[in-house]
Amino acid sequence: MAAVAAGSGVTLGVEEEFLLVDPVTGATVPRAARVLARAGRHPLSSGTRFHPELASTQVEAATGVCTTLRSLRHQLREGRGRLAAAAAAEGARLVSTGTPVRPGPDPPPGPGERFARIRRMYAGVVAGYQCCGCHVHVGVADRETAVAVVNHLRPWLPTLLALSVNSPFDRGRDSGHASWRIVEQSRFPGAGVPPWSADAAEFDRRVQRLVDGGVLADPAMTFWLARPSPHLPTVEVRVADAAGTVDEAVLQAALTRALVRRALWDLAAGRQAPRVDDQVCAAAVWSAARYGLDGPGVHPLEGTAVPAMRLVKELMGRVRPALEESGDLAAVEAALARLRVVGTGAVRQRRAAAVNGTAGAAAMLIRQTARPAWRAPERVGTARP
């Protein structure tokens, strides 16, 4: 493979968004300020930092810069552990799910003028909005490279989503989707798969037009599922639902880094990204959000319905050389094998709810989020995975 710039596609980091819930009812509770104050009282050895989010029921843990999956896994566990302990001390529990499982009142806004401006701009679209994702950053040499890499990522974003689906419930009701979070996000301008851009200037013009048109609060507000980070020298991929487990967050990070590395190799060899039709991309995202891995997907290049697992197989074929080079192939194959056994986060939530309703799903999420490593699924009934 052609060489890439030193450090490009090697470093990675993850931002995990979580909900705070009542330990008895499972409904979200607005205790982010207290939990963050307690969690951030002492610095973490790993470089992980904690942040508020749009709603006062949400908190975020952002890892430091990592080069190995082992280091990333350690930081993710440390961040979750600190936040879970702080939440418990404040009478709440930490859960990793893309949307609230149990019904509850709309939460107060998070702190700061920017969040207040966002709420004024979007009105009812953000009333009750408490969606959580797992965002992966991969280091690249510069912004031009980042935009070119994003072009190469476009066809594969729906498959990353299908692997991550973890939001079937919408405050007490089954949405019928595996990722209701993506449906919620689609209501915002600048959502979905980003458009193909010839260079950074064209990408920035697209964003600025939305800002000038009064539909984005600022250039950092775009909801596109992949973008050059507005404040870091990285490609930021924001397609995944909040990961049910640390292992699933690591899987998203490993596959994302491998896709970036493959894109860098293609660019070094002079291969441009395919200009996948925007409507096909939108259809592929919709199908991934609707079915996850348990139904049809839309092939981004062929524009036809195919089994979702075929798309996973094709993704793995594309990134296998990059995973071999980084030493991540065995870990990724093991994580995918586990996912086939236990099901996606959406499957596991529905499995728990089939026995004990959404209260059972909420209780399962509390236990799962605090669990340090993967283990066999709980036997809560005979519902098919």
Side-chain angles (χ1 to χ4, degrees):
M1 293 292 180
V4 299
S8 290
V10 174
T11 60
L12 76 167
V14 170
E15 298 167 348
E16 289 201 283
E17 297 167 342
F18 303 97
L19 291 174
L20 299 169
V21 303
D22 184 277
V24 176
T25 68
T28 56
V29 291
R31 296 181 193 165
R34 287 156 53 183
V35 169
L36 290 171
R38 184 179 290 272
R41 196 163 296 165
H42 303 289
L44 277 71
S45 61
S46 64
T48 298
R49 296 290 182 269
F50 305 122
H51 306 286
E53 277 295 326
L54 179 63
S56 57
T57 55
Q58 296 173 287
V59 292
E60 177 187 280
T63 71
V65 178
C66 303
T67 57
T68 67
L69 298 188
R70 180 178 181 179
S71 172
L72 178 67
R73 183 177 285 106
H74 168 72
Q75 293 196 28
L76 290 169
R77 287 175 178 169
E78 189 175 36
R80 286 189 180 211
R82 176 70 70 86
L83 282 176
E90 295 295 339
R93 295 294 184 270
L94 189 76
V95 297
S96 190
T97 179
T99 49
V101 173
R102 297 283 286 161
D106 290 350
E113 171 56 28
R114 182 172 183 267
F115 287 155
R117 188 167 73 254
I118 289 169
R119 285 183 171 271
R120 290 194 299 270
M121 176 176 287
Y122 294 114
V125 172
V126 294
Y129 183 84
Q130 301 170 76
C131 294
C132 295
C134 176
H135 302 173
V136 180
H137 289 260
V138 181
V140 293
D142 51 50
R143 191 169 179 80
E144 289 292 343
T145 302
V147 171
V149 166
V150 167
N151 287 339
H152 277 273
L153 296 181
R154 294 175 72 241
W156 305 104
L157 296 173
T159 304
L160 290 177
L161 171 62
L163 287 163
S164 77
V165 290
N166 188 34
S167 53
F169 294 106
D170 175 31
R171 292 192 285 183
R173 75 178 182 101
D174 190 325
S175 70
H177 284 66
S179 174
W180 188 247
R181 163 184 160 266
I182 286 294
V183 178
E184 292 264 18
Q185 283 196 357
S186 69
R187 300 171 183 174
F188 292 90
V193 173
W196 196 98
S197 297
D199 52 30
E202 182 178 352
F203 182 91
D204 292 341
R205 284 195 299 271
R206 293 181 187 278
V207 175
Q208 193 59 48
R209 280 198 293 267
L210 295 176
V211 175
D212 294 344
V215 298
L216 291 185
D218 52 50
M221 186 62 193
T222 170
F223 276 83
W224 282 329
L225 300 176
R227 64 179 183 176
S229 169
H231 60 279
L232 295 170
T234 65
V235 168
E236 182 183 7
V237 177
R238 307 184 297 167
V239 67
D241 280 358
T245 65
V246 167
D247 285 345
E248 286 165 299
V250 172
L251 174 63
Q252 277 289 317
L255 289 174
T256 300
R257 179 167 69 172
L259 281 167
V260 170
R261 289 185 66 78
R262 176 58 193 264
L264 291 169
W265 292 342
D266 284 345
L267 291 168
R271 291 188 287 270
Q272 269 203 345
R275 297 202 182 200
V276 184
D277 182 85
D278 289 346
Q279 288 302 302
V280 172
C281 286
V285 168
W286 187 93
S287 189
R290 173 67 175 87
Y291 301 109
L293 297 178
D294 299 316
V298 175
H299 197 291
L301 302 176
E302 299 173 3
T304 57
V306 298
M309 289 306 299
R310 175 187 158 187
L311 296 173
V312 174
K313 183 177 180 180
E314 290 191 18
L315 185 153
M316 283 297 293
R318 177 169 176 78
V319 302
R320 185 175 298 274
L323 292 170
E324 289 174 338
E325 182 176 270
S326 63
D328 296 338
L329 180 59
V332 166
E333 289 183 333
L336 288 173
R338 288 195 294 267
L339 201 60
R340 286 192 290 270
V341 171
V342 303
T344 62
V347 167
R348 300 195 301 272
Q349 287 197 39
R350 286 194 171 112
R351 186 186 298 141
V355 178
N356 295 312
T358 54
M364 182 275 291
L365 285 167
I366 291 171
R367 295 190 295 272
Q368 178 180 260
T369 303
R371 189 175 296 159
W374 180 87
R375 67 176 67 169
E378 298 174 22
R379 296 188 178 278
V380 294
T382 59
R384 185 177 179 273

